[in-house]
Amino acid sequence: MRKIFLTLIGLLTLTMVSCTDDLDTEPKVELTLEQILEDDPNAIEGIVSRLYASFALSGPNGPGSSDISDDPGESPFLRGIINLQDFTADGMKNRWGDDGLDQLTTTSDWDANKFFRYLYNRAYYTIPQCNNLISILNTSTDIPDAAEALSEARFLRSLAYFYLIDTFGKGVLATEENLGQTDPLPEATRRQLFDYVESELLEIQPTMAPNNGYGRANKFTASMLLAKLYMNAEVYIGESRYDAAVTYLNQVIDEGGYRLADNFLENFSGDNDRSPEIIFPLLADAVNSQSFGNTTYIVNGNLSSDTMTLSDFGAAEGWQGHRATEAWYGLFGDLSTSTDTRAELFWTDGHNYTMTDYKEWTDGYPSIKFRNTDFFNPTNLTTSFSSADFPLYRLADANLMYAECAIRGAAGADLSKARDLVNDVRERANASTITISELTLDFIIDERARELNLEGHRRTDLIRFGRFTGGSYVWPWKGNVQNGASIPEYYNLFPIPEQAISANPNLEQNTGY
């Protein structure tokens, strides 16, 4: 799977699906899936690769192509995760002023925003494509590795639904059972989507391979998604499920065979496929899988040719877009004296500590956490696109999730183990170790920021800790105010895109919008 996304591009183009299609997703292709698999049963690997690619690429024919009728540069799934999880939260801000990005950066005026539509459409592109393959594999007996491919497709469908649960809190439940239905599907509640994803993962997780190759989902990838679902169950369905989260985190930590990378930067460099810590990446390659929406968006967006030597980061372009705020780097104290190696991953030269104006490039510190240079074999090669894979799940996250569960009193979680797991993360960063008495929820939410910011978790974390909406915790430009202001509680969900509501009269707008 390493850097391979589609081997059948000349034969198969999975159909574009948007909210206006009523999820009627019978592929409009030169050959149907059935015909391709009948002609070549081994083609299944290329088809499954294409499903993985839907999370990282815009389309099958390079960075200018798009699977959906949205901008190929702005709309890729991973770019949506960063925009909606990190730029809406405290750590990162964007200065471009593009229509919609201002509203995300300032957590204000969310009634209509194209970036909400992008993520919604991407999810409802991926889900029916998974349904297409699942429908065939459920009835096929002579396709090599059909059982594993079926589990992977069901995992990827569950992952897409997870983001709908988290961001919009509702949608429609499209499965292989209603594939091709022309009547608008009924609205599915957050509980219904939660229960469906849970049941799918519980069924496939025990049968998935423990090691399926880099870039592909395995048993422990499914365990991580289950743990994420259970960690946020109080938000999603009003039930504490931390006990269940511990069960699956123990599997990942104790049985998965992963270990923390010796150096933090191994996880964020151009050859991070060699990191022993990454559980599930979204793949990128500067040559074979170019996209403006994978880690290229993160690497180039944090760089500037005016003040930086781009080749130091393996980049040929600097977009002058993203900067961290003091809500992130302030957690390290004085950056000039901090021993924490993570504190070194901000560009401070020529930049102001305080983000007085979020549209001013020199206000705030760009994050240089992600880079396109290789860690193990550094070269002077520079490219316009990034080869750094995006670590959607990695072991340090699992360690901190376990510790949070222990603090919250989850059955089966041990505070001594939690302390040790947190200290493993901090020792890797040359940060001081902590005692059990210092292991508090306040500490964990800050440590998650120090370790995981810009990795697509922050908004969800703040909501789980009750800090995203309201005024008890504010950050620069929250509520469109420099020093931060309260925002309404209904901002814990995004509005359902108007195009989706117009296409399906069964959908109702989220409260407040």
Side-chain angles (χ1 to χ4, degrees):
M1 274 291 290
R2 176 63 185 164
K3 313 300 188 189
I4 298 174
F5 284 111
L6 182 61
T7 61
L8 302 171
I9 209 68
L11 293 176
L12 174 66
T13 302
L14 296 176
T15 184
M16 184 278 289
V17 179
S18 76
C19 54
T20 62
D21 293 324
D22 292 333
L23 301 175
D24 181 5
T25 60
E26 185 64 28
K28 301 174 178 65
V29 294
E30 296 178 29
L31 295 177
T32 66
L33 283 171
E34 293 95 330
Q35 290 171 325
I36 289 174
L37 292 174
E38 182 179 348
D39 291 345
D40 180 11
N42 292 312
I44 190 67
E45 182 172 352
I47 297 170
V48 172
S49 297
R50 184 69 179 89
L51 297 180
Y52 282 98
S54 71
F55 285 93
L57 303 183
S58 59
N61 298 313
S65 67
S66 182
D67 292 317
I68 62 176
S69 57
D70 289 321
D71 185 280
E74 292 181 334
S75 69
F77 211 123
L78 176 52
R79 189 159 175 165
I81 292 171
I82 297 301
N83 284 341
L84 301 190
Q85 287 283 5
D86 288 296
F87 292 145
T88 61
D90 52 356
M92 293 296 298
K93 297 298 160 193
N94 179 276
R95 62 172 288 271
W96 290 330
D98 294 6
D99 178 35
L101 275 178
D102 272 356
Q103 288 72 32
L104 300 182
T105 287
T106 60
T107 53
S108 62
D109 299 323
W110 278 5
D111 286 282
N113 189 301
K114 63 184 177 182
F115 293 100
F116 303 146
R117 184 183 80 244
Y118 291 164
L119 187 70
Y120 191 93
N121 284 358
R122 284 287 171 183
Y124 279 117
Y125 169 79
T126 296
I127 289 166
Q129 304 312 329
C130 292
N131 291 340
N132 287 330
L133 183 58
I134 291 167
S135 177
I136 295 168
L137 294 178
N138 277 335
T139 57
S140 300
T141 59
D142 56 352
I143 297 176
D145 301 319
E148 190 62 37
L150 178 60
S151 293
E152 289 178 80
R154 291 173 70 181
F155 167 81
L156 293 171
R157 179 174 63 180
S158 296
L159 182 62
Y161 271 124
F162 172 81
Y163 283 107
L164 289 170
I165 293 167
D166 184 79
T167 55
F168 298 103
K170 63 169 67 172
V172 296
L173 187 54
T175 73
E176 71 276 15
E177 300 297 328
N178 51 40
L179 185 65
Q181 178 176 322
T182 57
D183 293 334
L185 296 175
E187 180 178 276
T189 65
R190 208 175 204 181
R191 161 71 79 168
Q192 288 171 322
L193 295 178
F194 181 101
D195 289 346
Y196 178 74
V197 171
E198 180 188 25
S199 65
E200 283 285 287
L201 293 173
L202 289 175
E203 185 172 329
I204 65 174
Q205 190 269 351
T207 65
M208 295 184 76
N211 187 343
N212 202 19
Y214 181 79
R216 298 182 71 157
N218 60 31
K219 175 179 181 177
F220 303 108
T221 309
S223 295
M224 276 295 286
L225 183 51
L226 270 167
K228 289 286 183 183
L229 193 70
Y230 290 138
M231 286 289 293
N232 295 288
E234 277 192 300
V235 174
Y236 298 160
I237 59 173
E239 296 178 8
S240 174
R241 304 289 291 275
Y242 295 105
D243 297 358
V246 168
T247 297
Y248 291 97
L249 290 169
N250 276 329
Q251 291 184 12
V252 173
I253 295 167
D254 298 335
E255 303 172 23
Y258 305 99
R259 65 175 178 83
L260 294 182
D262 293 334
N263 189 297
F264 186 68
L265 285 177
E266 291 180 40
N267 297 306
F268 310 102
S269 299
D271 54 355
N272 59 351
D273 58 306
R274 297 177 60 177
S275 168
E277 181 175 340
I278 296 177
I279 299 167
F280 182 60
L282 301 181
L283 302 185
D285 186 89
V287 177
N288 297 315
S289 55
Q290 296 177 348
S291 174
F292 294 110
N294 56 16
T295 53
T296 301
Y297 182 55
I298 304 173
V299 174
N300 292 2
N302 277 286
L303 299 178
S304 168
S305 59
D306 293 341
T307 57
M308 307 175 184
T309 302
L310 298 184
S311 60
D312 289 345
F313 305 97
E317 301 176 19
W319 297 349
Q320 288 192 351
H322 319 323
R323 288 98 62 242
T325 77
E326 59 196 86
W328 181 2
Y329 44 76
L331 295 172
F332 295 99
D334 186 341
L335 296 183
S336 64
T337 60
S338 175
T339 63
D340 194 321
T341 56
R342 298 169 299 187
E344 301 171 2
L345 302 179
F346 301 97
W347 186 270
T348 61
D349 290 352
H351 284 257
N352 303 315
Y353 183 90
T354 300
M355 188 177 285
T356 304
D357 183 353
Y358 70 88
K359 290 187 177 182
E360 176 57 52
W361 170 246
T362 55
D363 277 6
Y365 297 156
S367 168
I368 50 175
K369 175 176 176 176
F370 284 85
R371 64 273 314 280
N372 193 35
T373 49
D374 286 353
F375 178 84
F376 294 98
N377 296 299
T379 67
N380 293 323
L381 180 67
T382 61
T383 57
S384 294
F385 294 92
S386 172
S387 287
D389 301 328
F390 184 79
L392 192 69
Y393 299 146
R394 59 185 179 94
L395 185 60
D397 187 11
N399 283 11
L400 297 177
M401 290 166 66
Y402 180 96
E404 181 183 334
C405 289
I407 297 167
R408 294 183 186 275
D414 177 77
L415 280 171
S416 295
K417 179 179 179 179
R419 174 204 57 205
D420 292 344
L421 291 174
V422 171
N423 281 336
D424 286 345
V425 173
R426 289 182 61 77
E427 286 174 344
R428 192 255 302 272
N430 200 36
S432 60
T433 57
I434 64 165
T435 64
I436 288 180
S437 64
E438 294 173 301
L439 194 57
T440 64
L441 288 177
D442 285 343
F443 173 85
I444 283 294
I445 188 63
D446 288 348
E447 187 65 16
R448 286 188 65 80
R450 286 185 285 263
E451 179 72 17
L452 298 165
N453 244 333
L454 201 49
E455 295 182 51
H457 306 296
R458 190 58 178 169
R459 168 191 158 273
T460 300
D461 287 349
L462 290 175
I463 291 173
R464 186 173 67 255
F465 279 75
R467 297 188 179 190
F468 187 70
T469 56
S472 61
Y473 173 58
V474 295
W475 56 81
W477 294 103
K478 178 180 180 180
N480 202 21
V481 175
Q482 179 189 339
N483 294 323
S486 176
I487 59 175
E489 184 177 358
Y490 66 81
Y491 268 45
N492 283 326
L493 287 172
F494 298 124
I496 304 295
E498 286 298 326
Q499 293 88 340
I501 293 175
S502 297
N504 187 340
N506 296 323
L507 288 174
E508 294 185 4
Q509 185 56 271
N510 280 326
T511 301
Y513 295 107

PDB file of all heavy atoms in Angstrom, residues 115 127 130 167 192 198 252 257 281 310 315 324 326 333 339 351 367 369 371 399 417 425 452 455:
ATOM      1  N   PHE A 115     -16.996  25.201   3.660  1.00  0.00           N
ATOM      2  CA  PHE A 115     -16.146  24.156   4.204  1.00  0.00           C
ATOM      3  C   PHE A 115     -16.946  23.102   4.955  1.00  0.00           C
ATOM      4  O   PHE A 115     -16.518  21.949   5.057  1.00  0.00           O
ATOM      5  CB  PHE A 115     -15.056  24.765   5.087  1.00  0.00           C
ATOM      6  CG  PHE A 115     -14.076  25.581   4.300  1.00  0.00           C
ATOM      7  CD1 PHE A 115     -14.172  26.971   4.260  1.00  0.00           C
ATOM      8  CD2 PHE A 115     -13.086  24.964   3.554  1.00  0.00           C
ATOM      9  CE1 PHE A 115     -13.273  27.713   3.518  1.00  0.00           C
ATOM     10  CE2 PHE A 115     -12.181  25.712   2.809  1.00  0.00           C
ATOM     11  CZ  PHE A 115     -12.280  27.088   2.785  1.00  0.00           C
ATOM     12  N   ILE A 127     -18.826   7.047   1.593  1.00  0.00           N
ATOM     13  CA  ILE A 127     -19.746   6.033   2.119  1.00  0.00           C
ATOM     14  C   ILE A 127     -20.398   5.212   1.007  1.00  0.00           C
ATOM     15  O   ILE A 127     -20.354   3.968   1.044  1.00  0.00           O
ATOM     16  CB  ILE A 127     -20.799   6.690   3.033  1.00  0.00           C
ATOM     17  CG1 ILE A 127     -20.133   7.152   4.337  1.00  0.00           C
ATOM     18  CG2 ILE A 127     -21.964   5.744   3.330  1.00  0.00           C
ATOM     19  CD1 ILE A 127     -20.960   8.100   5.170  1.00  0.00           C
ATOM     20  N   CYS A 130     -17.938   2.823  -0.638  1.00  0.00           N
ATOM     21  CA  CYS A 130     -17.745   1.637   0.201  1.00  0.00           C
ATOM     22  C   CYS A 130     -18.933   0.693   0.057  1.00  0.00           C
ATOM     23  O   CYS A 130     -18.760  -0.532  -0.038  1.00  0.00           O
ATOM     24  CB  CYS A 130     -17.572   2.049   1.654  1.00  0.00           C
ATOM     25  SG  CYS A 130     -16.035   2.935   2.022  1.00  0.00           S
ATOM     26  N   THR A 167     -19.088  15.940  13.702  1.00  0.00           N
ATOM     27  CA  THR A 167     -19.191  17.320  13.223  1.00  0.00           C
ATOM     28  C   THR A 167     -20.624  17.806  13.051  1.00  0.00           C
ATOM     29  O   THR A 167     -20.939  18.945  13.397  1.00  0.00           O
ATOM     30  CB  THR A 167     -18.441  17.480  11.890  1.00  0.00           C
ATOM     31  OG1 THR A 167     -18.930  16.512  10.954  1.00  0.00           O
ATOM     32  CG2 THR A 167     -16.948  17.282  12.072  1.00  0.00           C
ATOM     33  N   GLN A 192     -28.512   6.929  16.329  1.00  0.00           N
ATOM     34  CA  GLN A 192     -28.623   5.886  15.322  1.00  0.00           C
ATOM     35  C   GLN A 192     -27.305   5.696  14.570  1.00  0.00           C
ATOM     36  O   GLN A 192     -26.885   4.562  14.314  1.00  0.00           O
ATOM     37  CB  GLN A 192     -29.752   6.223  14.345  1.00  0.00           C
ATOM     38  CG  GLN A 192     -31.139   6.071  14.951  1.00  0.00           C
ATOM     39  CD  GLN A 192     -32.232   6.611  14.040  1.00  0.00           C
ATOM     40  OE1 GLN A 192     -32.051   7.632  13.365  1.00  0.00           O
ATOM     41  NE2 GLN A 192     -33.377   5.938  14.028  1.00  0.00           N
ATOM     42  N   GLU A 198     -20.809   1.620  15.907  1.00  0.00           N
ATOM     43  CA  GLU A 198     -20.369   0.711  16.971  1.00  0.00           C
ATOM     44  C   GLU A 198     -20.584  -0.745  16.572  1.00  0.00           C
ATOM     45  O   GLU A 198     -19.681  -1.588  16.718  1.00  0.00           O
ATOM     46  CB  GLU A 198     -21.116   1.017  18.264  1.00  0.00           C
ATOM     47  CG  GLU A 198     -20.720   0.105  19.416  1.00  0.00           C
ATOM     48  CD  GLU A 198     -21.598   0.271  20.641  1.00  0.00           C
ATOM     49  OE1 GLU A 198     -22.759   0.708  20.492  1.00  0.00           O
ATOM     50  OE2 GLU A 198     -21.129  -0.043  21.755  1.00  0.00           O
ATOM     51  N   VAL A 252      -4.600  -1.876  21.868  1.00  0.00           N
ATOM     52  CA  VAL A 252      -3.659  -1.119  21.049  1.00  0.00           C
ATOM     53  C   VAL A 252      -2.301  -1.012  21.740  1.00  0.00           C
ATOM     54  O   VAL A 252      -1.243  -1.281  21.144  1.00  0.00           O
ATOM     55  CB  VAL A 252      -4.203   0.293  20.752  1.00  0.00           C
ATOM     56  CG1 VAL A 252      -3.149   1.143  20.048  1.00  0.00           C
ATOM     57  CG2 VAL A 252      -5.464   0.203  19.899  1.00  0.00           C
ATOM     58  N   GLY A 257       1.910  -4.005  19.173  1.00  0.00           N
ATOM     59  CA  GLY A 257       3.289  -4.037  18.701  1.00  0.00           C
ATOM     60  C   GLY A 257       3.849  -2.677  18.315  1.00  0.00           C
ATOM     61  O   GLY A 257       4.938  -2.594  17.741  1.00  0.00           O
ATOM     62  N   PRO A 281      -2.099   5.826   9.007  1.00  0.00           N
ATOM     63  CA  PRO A 281      -1.807   7.072   8.309  1.00  0.00           C
ATOM     64  C   PRO A 281      -2.727   7.288   7.116  1.00  0.00           C
ATOM     65  O   PRO A 281      -3.289   6.342   6.555  1.00  0.00           O
ATOM     66  CB  PRO A 281      -0.380   6.835   7.821  1.00  0.00           C
ATOM     67  CG  PRO A 281      -0.390   5.377   7.459  1.00  0.00           C
ATOM     68  CD  PRO A 281      -1.352   4.690   8.408  1.00  0.00           C
ATOM     69  N   LEU A 310      13.087  27.516   2.482  1.00  0.00           N
ATOM     70  CA  LEU A 310      12.108  26.458   2.262  1.00  0.00           C
ATOM     71  C   LEU A 310      12.752  25.089   2.134  1.00  0.00           C
ATOM     72  O   LEU A 310      12.172  24.073   2.551  1.00  0.00           O
ATOM     73  CB  LEU A 310      11.270  26.767   1.022  1.00  0.00           C
ATOM     74  CG  LEU A 310      10.433  28.046   1.056  1.00  0.00           C
ATOM     75  CD1 LEU A 310       9.589  28.156  -0.216  1.00  0.00           C
ATOM     76  CD2 LEU A 310       9.532  28.080   2.285  1.00  0.00           C
ATOM     77  N   ALA A 315      10.457  21.839   1.021  1.00  0.00           N
ATOM     78  CA  ALA A 315       9.342  22.443   0.296  1.00  0.00           C
ATOM     79  C   ALA A 315       9.842  23.376  -0.797  1.00  0.00           C
ATOM     80  O   ALA A 315      10.859  24.064  -0.635  1.00  0.00           O
ATOM     81  CB  ALA A 315       8.436  23.204   1.254  1.00  0.00           C
ATOM     82  N   ALA A 324       0.337  29.239  14.517  1.00  0.00           N
ATOM     83  CA  ALA A 324      -0.151  28.847  15.826  1.00  0.00           C
ATOM     84  C   ALA A 324      -0.428  30.099  16.653  1.00  0.00           C
ATOM     85  O   ALA A 324       0.058  31.193  16.340  1.00  0.00           O
ATOM     86  CB  ALA A 324       0.876  27.959  16.524  1.00  0.00           C
ATOM     87  N   GLU A 326      -0.807  31.731  20.833  1.00  0.00           N
ATOM     88  CA  GLU A 326      -0.201  31.547  22.147  1.00  0.00           C
ATOM     89  C   GLU A 326      -0.971  30.534  22.988  1.00  0.00           C
ATOM     90  O   GLU A 326      -0.438  30.027  23.993  1.00  0.00           O
ATOM     91  CB  GLU A 326      -0.121  32.883  22.882  1.00  0.00           C
ATOM     92  CG  GLU A 326      -1.466  33.565  23.090  1.00  0.00           C
ATOM     93  CD  GLU A 326      -1.300  35.021  23.469  1.00  0.00           C
ATOM     94  OE1 GLU A 326      -1.188  35.857  22.545  1.00  0.00           O
ATOM     95  OE2 GLU A 326      -1.256  35.310  24.676  1.00  0.00           O
ATOM     96  N   GLY A 333       5.453  27.434  28.164  1.00  0.00           N
ATOM     97  CA  GLY A 333       6.138  28.457  28.935  1.00  0.00           C
ATOM     98  C   GLY A 333       7.042  29.278  28.027  1.00  0.00           C
ATOM     99  O   GLY A 333       6.726  29.524  26.857  1.00  0.00           O
ATOM    100  N   THR A 339      12.917  23.042  27.905  1.00  0.00           N
ATOM    101  CA  THR A 339      13.681  21.858  27.490  1.00  0.00           C
ATOM    102  C   THR A 339      12.842  20.916  26.636  1.00  0.00           C
ATOM    103  O   THR A 339      13.379  19.955  26.067  1.00  0.00           O
ATOM    104  CB  THR A 339      14.182  21.085  28.716  1.00  0.00           C
ATOM    105  OG1 THR A 339      13.054  20.593  29.473  1.00  0.00           O
ATOM    106  CG2 THR A 339      15.044  21.983  29.601  1.00  0.00           C
ATOM    107  N   HIS A 351       8.443  37.056  13.908  1.00  0.00           N
ATOM    108  CA  HIS A 351       7.022  36.922  14.230  1.00  0.00           C
ATOM    109  C   HIS A 351       6.735  37.410  15.638  1.00  0.00           C
ATOM    110  O   HIS A 351       7.604  37.361  16.525  1.00  0.00           O
ATOM    111  CB  HIS A 351       6.583  35.463  14.082  1.00  0.00           C
ATOM    112  CG  HIS A 351       6.408  35.036  12.661  1.00  0.00           C
ATOM    113  ND1 HIS A 351       5.173  34.900  12.066  1.00  0.00           N
ATOM    114  CD2 HIS A 351       7.316  34.745  11.702  1.00  0.00           C
ATOM    115  CE1 HIS A 351       5.332  34.529  10.815  1.00  0.00           C
ATOM    116  NE2 HIS A 351       6.620  34.426  10.561  1.00  0.00           N
ATOM    117  N   SER A 367       3.747  26.813  12.659  1.00  0.00           N
ATOM    118  CA  SER A 367       4.160  25.513  13.187  1.00  0.00           C
ATOM    119  C   SER A 367       5.028  24.802  12.150  1.00  0.00           C
ATOM    120  O   SER A 367       4.632  24.671  10.989  1.00  0.00           O
ATOM    121  CB  SER A 367       2.935  24.653  13.505  1.00  0.00           C
ATOM    122  OG  SER A 367       3.317  23.313  13.757  1.00  0.00           O
ATOM    123  N   LYS A 369       6.072  21.670  12.676  1.00  0.00           N
ATOM    124  CA  LYS A 369       5.967  20.289  13.157  1.00  0.00           C
ATOM    125  C   LYS A 369       5.989  19.305  11.992  1.00  0.00           C
ATOM    126  O   LYS A 369       6.702  18.299  12.020  1.00  0.00           O
ATOM    127  CB  LYS A 369       4.672  20.170  13.969  1.00  0.00           C
ATOM    128  CG  LYS A 369       4.307  18.793  14.461  1.00  0.00           C
ATOM    129  CD  LYS A 369       3.049  18.885  15.333  1.00  0.00           C
ATOM    130  CE  LYS A 369       2.555  17.545  15.787  1.00  0.00           C
ATOM    131  NZ  LYS A 369       1.389  17.659  16.708  1.00  0.00           N
ATOM    132  N   ARG A 371       6.988  18.419   8.105  1.00  0.00           N
ATOM    133  CA  ARG A 371       7.936  18.862   7.096  1.00  0.00           C
ATOM    134  C   ARG A 371       8.093  17.775   6.046  1.00  0.00           C
ATOM    135  O   ARG A 371       7.782  16.603   6.283  1.00  0.00           O
ATOM    136  CB  ARG A 371       9.276  19.238   7.701  1.00  0.00           C
ATOM    137  CG  ARG A 371      10.082  18.143   8.370  1.00  0.00           C
ATOM    138  CD  ARG A 371       9.742  17.939   9.826  1.00  0.00           C
ATOM    139  NE  ARG A 371       9.658  19.156  10.582  1.00  0.00           N
ATOM    140  CZ  ARG A 371      10.733  19.816  11.059  1.00  0.00           C
ATOM    141  NH1 ARG A 371      11.952  19.350  10.834  1.00  0.00           N
ATOM    142  NH2 ARG A 371      10.571  20.904  11.784  1.00  0.00           N
ATOM    143  N   ASN A 399      -1.853   6.529  24.395  1.00  0.00           N
ATOM    144  CA  ASN A 399      -1.357   6.681  25.763  1.00  0.00           C
ATOM    145  C   ASN A 399      -2.121   7.753  26.521  1.00  0.00           C
ATOM    146  O   ASN A 399      -2.527   7.568  27.676  1.00  0.00           O
ATOM    147  CB  ASN A 399       0.129   7.055  25.739  1.00  0.00           C
ATOM    148  CG  ASN A 399       1.040   5.880  25.434  1.00  0.00           C
ATOM    149  OD1 ASN A 399       0.582   4.805  25.041  1.00  0.00           O
ATOM    150  ND2 ASN A 399       2.337   6.073  25.593  1.00  0.00           N
ATOM    151  N   LYS A 417      -0.265   2.928  35.674  1.00  0.00           N
ATOM    152  CA  LYS A 417       0.005   2.700  34.248  1.00  0.00           C
ATOM    153  C   LYS A 417      -0.202   3.985  33.460  1.00  0.00           C
ATOM    154  O   LYS A 417       0.600   4.311  32.559  1.00  0.00           O
ATOM    155  CB  LYS A 417      -0.897   1.594  33.714  1.00  0.00           C
ATOM    156  CG  LYS A 417      -0.720   1.299  32.237  1.00  0.00           C
ATOM    157  CD  LYS A 417      -1.633   0.167  31.772  1.00  0.00           C
ATOM    158  CE  LYS A 417      -1.463  -0.102  30.285  1.00  0.00           C
ATOM    159  NZ  LYS A 417      -2.333  -1.226  29.816  1.00  0.00           N
ATOM    160  N   VAL A 425       5.595   9.591  26.986  1.00  0.00           N
ATOM    161  CA  VAL A 425       5.421  10.634  25.973  1.00  0.00           C
ATOM    162  C   VAL A 425       6.270  11.852  26.322  1.00  0.00           C
ATOM    163  O   VAL A 425       6.948  12.433  25.466  1.00  0.00           O
ATOM    164  CB  VAL A 425       3.935  11.024  25.854  1.00  0.00           C
ATOM    165  CG1 VAL A 425       3.745  12.233  24.940  1.00  0.00           C
ATOM    166  CG2 VAL A 425       3.115   9.843  25.326  1.00  0.00           C
ATOM    167  N   LEU A 452      -0.445  16.787  20.341  1.00  0.00           N
ATOM    168  CA  LEU A 452      -1.288  16.383  19.213  1.00  0.00           C
ATOM    169  C   LEU A 452      -1.871  17.519  18.385  1.00  0.00           C
ATOM    170  O   LEU A 452      -2.557  17.253  17.395  1.00  0.00           O
ATOM    171  CB  LEU A 452      -2.447  15.510  19.727  1.00  0.00           C
ATOM    172  CG  LEU A 452      -2.057  14.201  20.405  1.00  0.00           C
ATOM    173  CD1 LEU A 452      -3.247  13.632  21.166  1.00  0.00           C
ATOM    174  CD2 LEU A 452      -1.534  13.197  19.400  1.00  0.00           C
ATOM    175  N   GLU A 455      -3.181  17.806  14.448  1.00  0.00           N
ATOM    176  CA  GLU A 455      -3.383  16.432  14.010  1.00  0.00           C
ATOM    177  C   GLU A 455      -4.862  16.054  13.922  1.00  0.00           C
ATOM    178  O   GLU A 455      -5.209  14.876  13.855  1.00  0.00           O
ATOM    179  CB  GLU A 455      -2.634  15.467  14.927  1.00  0.00           C
ATOM    180  CG  GLU A 455      -1.126  15.640  14.870  1.00  0.00           C
ATOM    181  CD  GLU A 455      -0.373  14.661  15.745  1.00  0.00           C
ATOM    182  OE1 GLU A 455      -0.639  13.442  15.639  1.00  0.00           O
ATOM    183  OE2 GLU A 455       0.471  15.114  16.548  1.00  0.00           O
TER     184      GLU A 455
END
